[in-house]
Amino acid sequence: MLDRPHPTPAAPSADPFALAKALSGVHFIGGVYVPARSGRTFAVVNPATGAEVARAAEGDAADVEAAVQNAAKAQKDWAKVPARKRGAMVHQCAQLLKEHVDELGRLIALETGKALRTESRVEAGVVADVFEFFGGLGSELKGESVPFDPKVLSVTVREPLGVVGAIIPWNVPMLLMALKVAPALVAGNSVVVKSAEEAPLAVLRICEIMNRILPPGVFNMVSGFGPECGAPLVTHPLVRKVTFTGSVETGKIVARAAAEKLIPVTLELGGKSPMIVFADCDFDRTVAGALTSMRFTRQGQSCTAASRIYVERPIFDRFVAAMTDAVNGMVMGDPLDEKTDIGTIVSEGQLAKVKAYIAEGTATPGATAHVCSAMPTDPALRKGLFIQPVIFTGLTRDSRLVREEIFGPVTVIQPFDDAEAVLAEANDSDYGLAASLWTNNLKVGLDLAHRLEAGLVQINQNLVVQANLSYGGVKSSGLGKEASLEAMLEHFTHKKTIMVNMA
Ligand code: NAI
Ligand code: MG
């Protein structure tokens, strides 16, 4: 334990650089900031400049042990708090988080490179909304009575699972954390979150803010690398549930480890989401929808990004031109600048991966790369991990760019002539997270919506997480749902049957 209170301000901070420094070098365990047992730390870098802005505690099995022990101890009493009271406390956390929306937006912009106005502040607002939503669901943790025999009272009750391990990625760290922590806590579990190595600060700040209201040990957070810090969380015997968002590859590792212990696991593993545009769509609205669907403002670093766009041939050229124009109008720059639409890629490794896909697409015979927007000119940003968005045409279904998740500002637009053929192409994917259809013919739209292999299909819109809409994919996109009442009941409780023989 630190021998002095850690100097983070209680009031919202307008200076993300000072806040990042104040959050340096610590986990949050048992209601207090603690450094890693090993004393090791690693750099947190501002991807817009390449400068180190903080150090993060480099957690390993010893830190995970401390966090899980604290969580297990706290969970016993937390489960005894009436469900509605637990919800009320989580709701109170949401009110406090609302006061910190601007602060959290700036902090996440600093560590991830996501633009403040278009992405980071928005994420912080949705986080507060998610905690508020689940905070209202305490009294929904109810069971049933079973008509067994008039002399036998047979009822089911919802019980928490115990300690939940939550492993989160860097693209929307605060929101993806909230989708796990909020339902887990309201259902009476305690939580240990393992933050993403690229973005540990904003989630740490949220943990500290919420610990002003929650009992100590109910919500803990450790930072560190996957194999050293994430893996021991999954294998810890007292962790009774794991919820994970990230890559398919790591998701399988996590699921295997969970299978060894026979504990339930929820996986959200990304996608290659198709957007299907018919010639009868509302054209301008659809172009605007494509921009948001593709998450260009998040540099395409989104699991639901519309990274495959299929456009009916009569409007194909017009659509590509309109989309290229629109992306050209987006401003790339300092993520903390309110004028910026598009910030940076999160890390050098991720940038190299995206560049390799773009090089492969560009070198493919018949392909055209429409390179959009303009690199920032500010010399302070010359080491920033910026990349121009690219719209590809002339690629086909066998290209890796059409099949694999790029997680960068790259989309492929292909023409189609026939609804059945485009449906077959859309479903010809390992993934099945989301899809959208753009048409004014709802007969065609609904028919395809039923036959698309995806967890979420939208017609004439493409919103992402909405509180109380079940969210989660099929096929390699994952297992289980998040964000809804059903998700809380199914994934963070078990149903116990109790029978009383009164004969
Ligand atoms: P990743 O899946 O390796 O990392 C996600 C989280 O898992 C991080 O907190 C990481 O530390 C942890 N982790 C890594 N190895 C682990 C292990 N053996 N046991 C337990 N936890 C472990 O994702 P990464 O490397 O950051 O990104 C690679 C690709 O994954 C991206 O390019 C993208 O395609 C995809 N991805 C998908 C996301 C989604 O929202 N579904 C989010 C982030 C990445
Ligand atoms: Mg990885």
Side-chain angles (χ1 to χ4, degrees):
M1 204 181 293
L2 293 180
D3 52 7
R4 61 188 167 81
H6 206 71
T8 43
S13 163
D15 180 355
F17 292 90
L19 186 57
K21 282 215 169 62
L23 288 162
S24 269
V26 281
H27 306 301
F28 203 95
I29 298 176
V32 288
Y33 284 118
V34 287
R37 293 290 192 273
S38 69
R40 283 200 303 269
T41 60
F42 62 96
V44 182
V45 174
N46 173 4
T49 61
E52 180 177 312
V53 291
R55 308 287 302 174
E58 190 179 325
D60 59 23
D63 303 295
V64 169
E65 173 67 20
V68 174
Q69 291 296 350
N70 269 279
K73 195 160 158 273
Q75 195 266 331
K76 304 255 182 306
D77 288 334
W78 181 238
K80 288 182 204 145
V81 175
R84 222 177 133 189
K85 173 99 191 292
R86 288 196 302 262
M89 289 169 89
V90 168
H91 196 275
Q92 245 183 302
C93 291
Q95 304 315 306
L96 197 49
L97 289 173
K98 281 185 187 173
E99 294 168 22
H100 288 263
V101 162
D102 199 60
E103 166 196 276
L104 291 167
R106 284 173 200 281
L107 192 56
I108 202 81
L110 179 63
E111 60 183 338
T112 64
K114 295 192 299 179
L116 178 62
R117 190 191 86 253
T118 56
E119 285 289 335
S120 291
R121 195 186 283 121
V122 180
E123 181 187 351
V126 180
V127 167
D129 185 56
V130 166
F131 280 107
E132 188 173 72
F133 166 73
F134 280 105
L137 295 185
S139 51
E140 293 299 322
L141 290 152
K142 54 196 177 195
E144 299 134 348
S145 70
V146 183
F148 195 69
D149 182 300
K151 292 211 165 54
V152 179
L153 175 69
S154 179
V155 294
T156 61
V157 291
R158 293 274 178 191
E159 290 192 344
L161 301 172
V163 180
V164 171
I167 298 177
I168 56 170
W170 44 263
N171 59 329
V172 226
M174 301 190 292
L175 174 59
L176 299 175
M177 177 275 285
L179 292 178
K180 299 172 183 343
V181 172
L185 289 180
V186 173
N189 305 280
S190 60
V191 188
V192 177
V193 173
K194 205 295 275 174
S195 55
E197 38 276 64
E198 296 83 354
L201 300 177
V203 286
L204 179 63
R205 176 66 163 164
I206 292 177
C207 183
E208 178 253 310
I209 291 169
M210 290 182 57
N211 266 273
R212 296 177 204 163
I213 289 163
L214 299 170
V218 160
F219 179 10
N220 310 275
M221 182 156 311
V222 290
S223 51
F225 298 99
E228 294 76 18
C229 188
L233 180 60
V234 180
T235 54
H236 196 291
L238 290 176
V239 170
R240 302 312 307 157
K241 154 91 197 184
V242 171
T243 167
F244 171 87
T245 301
S247 64
V248 175
E249 194 190 13
T250 306
K252 286 181 182 170
I253 295 173
V254 167
R256 272 186 220 113
E260 206 50 56
K261 284 166 61 184
L262 290 176
I263 59 165
V265 54
T266 307
L267 303 172
E268 203 273 86
L269 307 178
K272 191 74 191 174
S273 298
M275 167 169 181
I276 301 175
V277 179
F278 285 89
D280 74 342
C281 70
D282 179 336
F283 188 84
D284 293 341
R285 177 176 162 177
T286 306
V287 171
L291 290 196
T292 46
S293 299
M294 186 41 219
R295 288 285 180 281
F296 282 117
T297 51
R298 201 189 293 157
Q299 299 75 253
Q301 301 170 136
S302 163
C303 36
T304 36
S307 48
R308 301 184 282 153
I309 305 182
Y310 300 92
V311 180
E312 206 170 7
R313 200 172 303 270
I315 62 164
F316 179 79
D317 290 338
R318 190 173 153 227
F319 188 89
V320 172
M323 226 183 125
T324 311
D325 272 359
V327 185
N328 273 326
M330 296 173 85
V331 176
M332 218 191 303
D334 182 352
L336 287 165
D337 186 335
E338 298 280 352
K339 289 194 288 294
T340 297
D341 297 309
I342 304 179
T344 72
I345 296 287
V346 74
S347 66
E348 283 181 13
Q350 195 62 27
L351 182 64
K353 182 184 157 191
V354 175
K355 281 185 172 168
Y357 277 109
I358 293 173
E360 187 173 320
T362 309
T364 305
T368 306
H370 307 260
V371 180
C372 302
S373 190
M375 292 293 268
T377 50
D378 182 350
L381 305 175
R382 74 181 188 287
K383 288 193 185 146
L385 306 178
F386 294 95
I387 188 163
Q388 288 172 279
V390 185
I391 295 168
F392 276 102
T393 51
L395 289 173
T396 52
R397 66 202 295 173
D398 49 319
S399 165
R400 278 201 325 136
L401 282 79
V402 177
R403 308 203 71 84
E404 296 176 11
E405 181 174 55
I406 299 174
F407 237 61
V410 181
T411 192
V412 178
I413 313 188
Q414 297 164 266
F416 75 88
D417 299 296
D418 172 70
E420 287 306 317
V422 79
L423 176 73
E425 284 219 26
N427 284 340
D428 178 20
S429 171
D430 293 338
Y431 290 104
L433 186 56
S436 68
L437 294 154
W438 301 75
T439 176
N440 278 311
N441 185 339
L442 284 186
K443 196 172 160 203
V444 172
L446 258 181
D447 174 48
L448 294 185
H450 282 291
R451 292 193 289 146
L452 274 163
E453 294 165 3
L456 171 65
V457 181
Q458 297 176 74
I459 301 179
N460 296 331
Q461 66 167 23
N462 201 4
L463 310 169
V464 190
V465 166
Q466 302 281 303
N468 212 21
L469 268 189
S470 279
Y471 180 73
V474 296
K475 295 155 88 177
S476 290
S477 289
L479 290 176
K481 300 286 174 195
E482 297 196 296
S484 60
L485 170 62
E486 292 72 25
M488 175 175 81
L489 297 176
E490 280 167 32
H491 300 308
F492 293 105
T493 73
H494 75 94
K495 230 187 211 184
K496 176 187 275 179
T497 301
I498 298 177
M499 298 172 88
V500 186
N501 191 325
M502 298 172 293

